[in-house]
Amino acid sequence: MALVTRGALGGLLATTGRAAEGEKLLRTAALALERIFGAGHRETVNARLNHADSLHRLDRHADAEALLRAVMAALADTADGEGLRVLAARRKLADICFEQGRDAEAEEELRQIVAVRSRDLGAGHPETLQDRQALAAVLLRQGHTALAARQLVALVDPLDAALGRNHRDALIARSNLAYAQSQLGAEAAAKRQLRRVVAVYEEDGLVPDKLLATVRDLLGRLG
């Protein structure tokens, strides 16, 4: 099987509930591609990013982080030093830091990502908006409630327009805005945002999940 095809199959397995099989294929493909093309080659980097995803899904966070940092180091002195693959690695690293409660590290990565994407793509580009949403979530969890609320107020409608109102990031942004508003004493505004989230789930036929349960719980507490 061709190495690139093997890597593609590994990526597919990793995202369809067969992460252990996908991880093995991706690891093999990435190592072989690195031997042939070098660590900074496009195909090698793509395979290593997919491999990091599979490790993340297997909760092997330390291994995923080490691999992402190796990708960033391999690309640091190349023409892709601030390119799409570096940004992809940084975003995956920020997600791992956030999941592990390393909020200051996640914030630092996201600030740098947002700065580059805003410069290269514009502040209103869908990918920039998603990164800005993630940054606002980190700020909110660190207790920077007013700052996070200001950022989220400016994000919720553009996210709906760019991604669709039922996109996960759009729903998270509106839910986080409601939480921030509730903490700042703006309960009426918070309830309006929460009701909009509930309406999206009901009207668009979304499967109830933990986010909806959290939204309903907060709405119930606000009365």
Side-chain angles (χ1 to χ4, degrees):
M1 184 186 297
L3 291 174
V4 174
T5 303
R6 182 180 297 174
L9 176 59
L12 178 63
L13 291 173
T15 59
T16 55
R18 298 167 65 182
E21 294 175 72
E23 188 275 327
K24 183 177 180 179
L25 278 174
L26 286 164
R27 173 165 33 91
T28 302
L31 288 171
L33 287 166
E34 183 175 0
R35 284 196 299 271
I36 296 168
F37 298 120
H41 188 274
R42 175 174 58 86
E43 296 296 348
T44 305
V45 171
N46 289 341
R48 296 175 88 188
L49 289 175
N50 287 332
H51 185 203
D53 271 341
S54 69
L55 292 168
H56 189 191
R57 288 188 176 87
L58 291 167
D59 292 327
R60 292 171 56 183
H61 295 141
D63 291 336
E65 180 175 345
L67 184 53
L68 291 169
R69 292 191 183 281
V71 169
M72 291 161 59
L75 294 175
D77 296 325
T78 71
D80 198 39
E82 281 191 342
L84 294 177
R85 286 182 286 279
V86 169
L87 291 179
R90 296 190 84 112
R91 180 57 198 270
K92 294 174 193 297
L93 179 58
D95 290 343
I96 290 173
C97 291
F98 184 77
E99 289 175 15
Q100 294 184 325
R102 294 155 54 192
D103 291 343
E105 293 175 69
E107 179 186 347
E108 176 60 25
E109 293 295 339
L110 286 164
R111 285 192 181 281
Q112 294 188 46
I113 294 167
V114 168
V116 174
R117 287 211 200 277
S118 296
R119 182 195 69 201
D120 294 348
L121 301 177
H125 189 278
E127 291 182 27
T128 312
L129 291 171
Q130 289 177 282
D131 293 329
R132 290 170 63 195
Q133 183 278 128
L135 176 58
V138 173
L139 293 171
L140 182 60
R141 196 163 76 175
Q142 291 182 94
H144 305 304
T145 309
L147 175 58
R150 288 196 297 273
Q151 294 191 8
L152 289 164
V153 164
L155 281 171
V156 286
D157 290 337
L159 278 167
D160 281 358
L163 304 176
R165 69 175 193 166
N166 58 15
H167 190 281
R168 188 73 178 174
D169 284 345
L171 292 169
I172 289 172
R174 201 169 290 280
S175 303
N176 282 343
L177 173 58
Y179 175 77
Q181 289 171 328
S182 72
Q183 296 299 297
L184 295 169
E187 294 188 358
K191 287 190 282 188
R192 284 195 297 272
Q193 300 297 339
L194 293 168
R195 290 187 183 116
R196 287 187 66 172
V197 173
V198 172
V200 171
Y201 271 88
E202 293 176 347
E203 294 170 9
D204 292 9
L206 301 184
V207 177
D209 57 11
K210 185 176 180 181
L211 177 61
L212 178 59
T214 301
V215 165
R216 282 179 166 156
D217 178 68
L218 179 55
L219 190 55
R221 285 190 280 117
L222 292 175

